Amino acid sequence: MARPEEASGQRNSTDSTEQRHPAGDRPELRWKPKTLLHVKKLTSTTTHPLFTTLKDALSAADRRRKKRSVFLVTRRAVGWAAFEYVGTWPCKVAFNEVQIGNLPLGGNPLAPQTYLIDGRGRFAHIARDEHGYRLAATNRPTEEPAVPSWVDAIVPVVEINHGKNLSWSPRITLRPSLDELPAALAWVDQHMPAGTKIKAGGSLHAWSMAAMANDVYLVPERMKLTRTIDEEPNIYRSDLGDRRGNLVRAGSGNTIREMNRYLWEQKKKALPLLGGYDGQTVGGVFNTGTHGSVFTRGPMAEIIVSIDLVRAGGRLIRLEPTGGITDPAALAKEQPDLELIQNDDYYHAALINVGTMGVVHSYMLEVTDAFHLKEVRTPIKTDDLRKTMRDGKIYSLAGAKGNPKDMETIPPRISDGKDGGFKDHPFSAYHFEFLINPHSDSVIITSRHPIAADDSAFSFDPPGRDLIYTIHLGARFSRPVFPTWIQERFRHLLVWLVDTLMSLFPKITPSLIDRAMDSLVDEAYIDRSFNVFNNGAGENRIPALAGSIFIPLENDAWVDALDIIHDTAKTFAARNRHETGPASMRFIKGTKAQLGPPRDYCSFEFIFTGKTTWADEVVAGYDQALRARFGNEVRTHWGQLMRDPSHEEMRAMYPEYDRWRTIRDELDPKGCFLNDWQEAVFPPLAQPEG
């Protein structure tokens, strides 16, 4: 229903959800006159206090109105707000040049209560019809509008994901806070037609269709919360012991980057494992099964100990394992409206549910003491990898056990390359992974292990953005200086250059990937744990596509998979369809999450530049070739490019699928949180005969 060409175009993924849509009280007014090539943000000069009535807000605008000024007047949860903007001299702002996407709808997305007033006193209001939202001329309001239930809604825009392979246009976009979330879902239940679908968005970093929404879309910018268990109501068990100091609540809209800052700077804590990107929201990163490569742990979702979930209609429930951290009697007394389910099956079903059960309000996470990591990256060849890693060697080279903070004080054994390990790497490492070129025999080993370090040498942002500062720090405290600096300062030029070269001369793609991998070699990089886990700001901002395929470690299946991947890549390369980036190999413990891999596995992540139009085809080709050898032991990442499995494959890949589906259907019996893609991928339960 939304008309994107009138509603301001699009919202793109960036490194911060705050940049995508300001969650503060001052809306952003965008203006595109014919005389300008680009959209201009109008300068906001004054935010007036709340007014009791619309008449009072309009009178205030009258008193301050100038020739070049524009006023936006909109209803808030309590009262009316007026915002003043100024156009560029000598231009005057015309209503048909104002882009209304992301503007507030005055608490009523079905009958918006938002007005614009120009310097001549002319009025327009945001109107909604069967085609979507538009700005329509109107007379000055003379009566106070009715005051129905209020819900924070904004004009929908076209949502475009990070890889730019997906876009969608919601009919309704809501922007609730966590306190408003139950009421927002109750509003949908009461005011939208039966069968309306609901999806909560994240940072738009998924390459699968998990978050696509054509009906109601919830943006996460106001769904933020950080507090320790001691700052919560007294509803938790008294026997948590030392665990209590590591329990922290995170709102589903918080980004990983925000959690890293809060934990380290305010609590001297850290997440025990991370992926390579910190711009994702926690509601997106956990729900899709995102992982790191700390081989003592499964997917990141396993650091969750309690889930607060809002069901359709606005009912709030809490899901925990049997014997979870919440005291049922204390909860019933303090928060009787919060339903508690402490059951292993429900908890494991909800850990990775791809947003199909409800909207996550917040998670209680079990974190660890802040720690530092030392990263070592060295090159080898594929034959060396095969020879060294046969016979289950991964179990001795990766998966150092213990608290990472305690490991800082115990220097690891470093391999000399003659003892069955890889030269200069720990034996065994806390985090261990490979980076391969599917079109050559190049491999980079990456190990990351806790190390004692003086934290005064580090800051929240990793080195690399400031070339002189990075050089001054020295090699041990930064990744390779010039490649990092170039990625962060000239990434748009770099992307254009690489894409152009690969397009004009596709056969040089393997050598370009080899050279990019060579630039990563580094004998030591030491920093705060979250900066070492991170791929780097420059690399993460480059538009890319990725698909992960999971292969079990049993019987060295993952080592054999290397040959299949190289052969498949060779077949595609013969048609000039190269993988346009390296592939990572990460190691993860099996999980009890019912939509996660149940056995220890290697995750092959295939990476492509954002303009690789054949990325889906290549990922599907890898999946089919690997599945021909390993059958339904092959699994995929729910948030990335993937070949959609058949219903038979789903049940074979996930032995607990029917139990998961039963719980999902119980929590969302009307299917409100299943989008079209999920309806197709997740098979319904078999109906009893007769």
Side-chain angles (χ1 to χ4, degrees):
M1 182 176 290
R3 255 188 301 199
E5 68 277 7
E6 295 185 10
S8 90
Q10 63 192 43
R11 183 191 350 256
N12 293 290
S13 169
T14 67
D15 297 310
S16 168
T17 53
E18 293 91 337
Q19 293 172 354
R20 290 199 293 114
H21 181 81
D25 291 331
R26 185 172 298 182
E28 189 174 87
L29 200 60
R30 292 173 175 266
W31 177 45
K32 177 60 177 70
K34 295 178 181 178
T35 54
L36 296 180
L37 295 177
H38 303 289
V39 175
K40 180 178 178 59
K41 297 178 186 178
L42 292 179
T43 303
S44 177
T45 58
T46 306
T47 301
H48 294 274
L50 285 175
F51 300 94
T52 304
T53 66
L54 173 59
K55 180 180 178 181
D56 292 340
L58 296 180
S59 296
D62 289 339
R63 290 191 295 270
R64 291 189 57 88
R65 195 172 68 235
K66 301 180 182 67
K67 287 184 178 180
R68 292 185 294 112
S69 63
V70 177
F71 277 83
L72 184 146
V73 177
T74 187
R75 192 164 71 86
R76 310 296 268 181
V78 178
W80 290 79
F83 305 92
E84 183 179 355
Y85 305 84
V86 176
T88 304
W89 186 89
C91 299
K92 296 177 183 178
V93 178
F95 288 143
N96 62 354
E97 297 171 345
V98 173
Q99 297 191 343
I100 65 172
N102 286 327
L103 289 184
L105 292 171
N108 190 343
L110 302 181
Q113 297 187 24
T114 296
Y115 300 88
L116 286 179
I117 312 162
D118 70 6
R120 296 182 180 180
R122 293 177 299 188
F123 279 75
H125 72 116
I126 297 178
R128 180 179 185 268
D129 58 26
E130 66 273 14
H131 302 293
Y133 294 91
R134 58 189 175 85
L135 197 60
T138 188
N139 295 322
R140 182 188 183 99
T142 57
E143 297 181 0
E144 289 294 319
V147 184
S149 58
W150 189 89
V151 62
D152 195 347
I154 56 178
V155 178
V157 296
V158 177
E159 304 286 343
I160 301 176
N161 72 333
H162 173 266
K164 304 188 188 307
N165 65 309
L166 298 173
S167 65
W168 61 97
S169 299
R171 292 179 174 85
I172 300 286
T173 298
L174 303 182
R175 194 193 59 171
S177 68
L178 289 176
D179 288 341
E180 296 164 353
L181 180 58
L185 294 192
W187 182 93
V188 174
D189 187 57
Q190 295 162 11
H191 294 89
M192 297 298 292
T196 294
K197 301 290 187 177
I198 306 168
K199 274 295 169 188
S203 61
L204 300 174
H205 203 262
W207 297 291
S208 76
M209 292 183 278
M212 290 185 68
N214 294 321
D215 288 348
V216 176
Y217 185 64
L218 276 67
V219 293
E221 283 78 2
R222 298 180 62 226
M223 293 163 57
K224 297 178 185 291
L225 172 66
T226 49
R227 66 185 181 212
T228 66
I229 192 173
D230 291 330
E231 297 167 319
E232 297 240 321
N234 186 21
I235 55 174
Y236 297 99
R237 285 170 27 200
S238 60
D239 61 347
L240 295 176
D242 292 341
R243 289 184 68 197
R244 190 176 184 92
N246 287 330
L247 296 177
V248 174
R249 185 168 297 281
S252 60
N254 284 93
T255 64
I256 295 296
R257 179 178 176 82
E258 290 167 344
M259 292 307 302
N260 288 339
R261 184 185 287 276
Y262 166 77
L263 290 171
W264 195 284
E265 295 184 353
Q266 296 190 36
K267 304 299 177 183
K268 303 303 179 187
K269 300 290 182 180
L271 296 170
L273 76 164
L274 287 167
Y277 179 59
D278 64 3
Q280 298 145 307
T281 60
V282 297
V285 79
F286 295 136
N287 242 337
T288 55
T290 299
H291 57 80
S293 194
V294 174
F295 192 37
T296 53
R297 294 179 177 268
M300 287 181 63
E302 291 193 348
I303 69 172
I304 299 168
V305 297
S306 182
I307 305 169
D308 282 8
L309 185 79
V310 183
R311 298 174 58 187
R315 186 176 179 183
L316 182 63
I317 64 172
R318 175 167 293 179
L319 298 160
E320 295 180 355
T322 302
I325 63 172
T326 299
D327 181 327
L331 180 68
K333 180 179 178 181
E334 293 291 330
Q335 295 177 261
D337 293 335
L338 177 56
E339 179 188 355
L340 176 64
I341 301 175
Q342 291 182 322
N343 178 286
D344 285 342
D345 279 359
Y346 283 76
Y347 166 73
H348 290 130
L351 282 182
I352 301 174
N353 73 77
V354 206
T356 64
M357 294 180 175
V359 178
V360 173
H361 174 282
S362 57
Y363 296 106
M364 186 70 81
L365 308 178
E366 188 160 4
V367 299
T368 190
D369 293 332
F371 63 103
H372 300 85
L373 286 172
K374 176 183 177 182
E375 175 185 271
V376 177
R377 283 175 164 167
T378 60
I380 59 169
K381 298 299 182 183
T382 305
D383 282 345
D384 299 323
L385 187 159
R386 289 193 193 94
K387 292 174 184 176
T388 304
M389 300 306 295
R390 286 282 181 194
D391 302 321
K393 200 64 169 290
I394 186 64
Y395 287 94
S396 59
L397 294 183
K401 295 178 174 62
N403 184 306
K405 184 64 177 178
D406 295 338
M407 291 184 200
E408 287 189 345
T409 61
I410 306 172
R413 170 188 165 195
I414 303 299
S415 174
D416 61 6
K418 301 176 182 178
D419 53 4
F422 292 107
K423 188 175 186 302
D424 298 328
H425 290 272
F427 205 141
S428 61
Y430 181 71
H431 172 114
F432 188 79
E433 66 177 283
F434 296 108
L435 198 67
I436 66 170
N437 183 348
H439 302 294
S440 78
D441 63 351
S442 295
V443 179
I444 299 291
I445 311 169
T446 299
S447 63
R448 294 164 177 157
H449 200 80
I451 188 171
D454 178 6
D455 192 62
S456 65
F458 310 113
S459 63
F460 178 72
D461 289 313
R465 298 179 182 183
D466 185 324
L467 180 61
I468 304 303
Y469 170 68
T470 303
I471 293 172
H472 177 73
L473 271 179
R476 295 181 67 238
F477 301 106
S478 68
R479 287 195 169 109
V481 175
F482 287 99
T484 301
W485 185 73
I486 288 171
Q487 279 184 359
E488 297 193 1
R489 290 290 182 179
F490 304 104
R491 63 182 182 275
H492 296 297
L493 178 61
L494 184 64
V495 169
W496 174 84
L497 178 61
V498 171
D499 280 334
T500 300
L501 287 174
M502 288 181 176
S503 176
L504 294 175
F505 311 105
K507 296 193 182 303
I508 69 169
T509 299
S511 62
L512 286 177
I513 296 173
D514 277 346
R515 291 185 182 183
M517 290 171 59
D518 289 343
S519 73
L520 298 175
V521 173
D522 197 9
E523 63 182 25
Y525 165 44
I526 299 170
D527 206 329
R528 294 175 176 178
S529 56
F530 56 83
N531 281 333
V532 178
F533 282 129
N534 199 326
N535 288 336
E539 184 175 333
N540 280 326
R541 290 175 183 172
I542 296 172
L545 301 167
S548 290
I549 297 178
F550 305 147
I551 303 296
L553 302 185
E554 289 177 288
N555 303 316
D556 294 332
W558 68 279
V559 181
D560 295 333
L562 275 171
D563 292 330
I564 297 172
I565 289 166
H566 280 289
D567 290 344
T568 305
K570 187 181 298 183
T571 300
F572 279 108
R575 298 164 46 208
N576 286 333
R577 276 165 159 63
H578 296 82
E579 184 172 336
T580 49
S584 68
M585 299 168 60
R586 297 178 178 178
F587 302 93
I588 304 99
K589 298 295 289 184
T591 178
K592 292 182 180 180
Q594 291 158 7
L595 285 190
R599 298 180 179 83
D600 297 350
Y601 60 98
C602 175
S603 168
F604 289 85
E605 183 177 33
F606 304 103
I607 304 166
F608 306 83
T609 65
K611 291 189 176 180
T612 308
T613 57
W614 54 87
D616 270 309
E617 180 185 354
V618 174
V619 170
Y622 285 140
D623 183 288
Q624 290 167 333
L626 291 165
R627 203 172 294 277
R629 173 70 178 275
F630 304 113
N632 290 313
E633 290 297 330
V634 176
R635 298 172 178 89
T636 54
H637 189 305
W638 293 111
Q640 297 191 354
L641 301 178
M642 58 184 288
R643 182 187 69 83
D644 292 350
S646 68
H647 288 185
E648 293 74 18
E649 288 172 336
M650 275 293 300
R651 286 194 165 88
M653 289 188 292
Y654 302 102
E656 297 293 317
Y657 174 79
D658 280 349
R659 180 59 178 148
W660 176 85
R661 182 71 198 222
T662 299
I663 293 169
R664 196 227 71 81
D665 289 354
E666 178 186 332
L667 296 179
D668 177 32
K670 296 180 180 179
C672 296
F673 300 102
L674 288 169
N675 64 19
D676 291 344
W677 175 68
Q678 291 162 337
E679 292 272 19
V681 168
F682 295 128
L685 292 170
Q687 298 298 318
E689 295 183 5

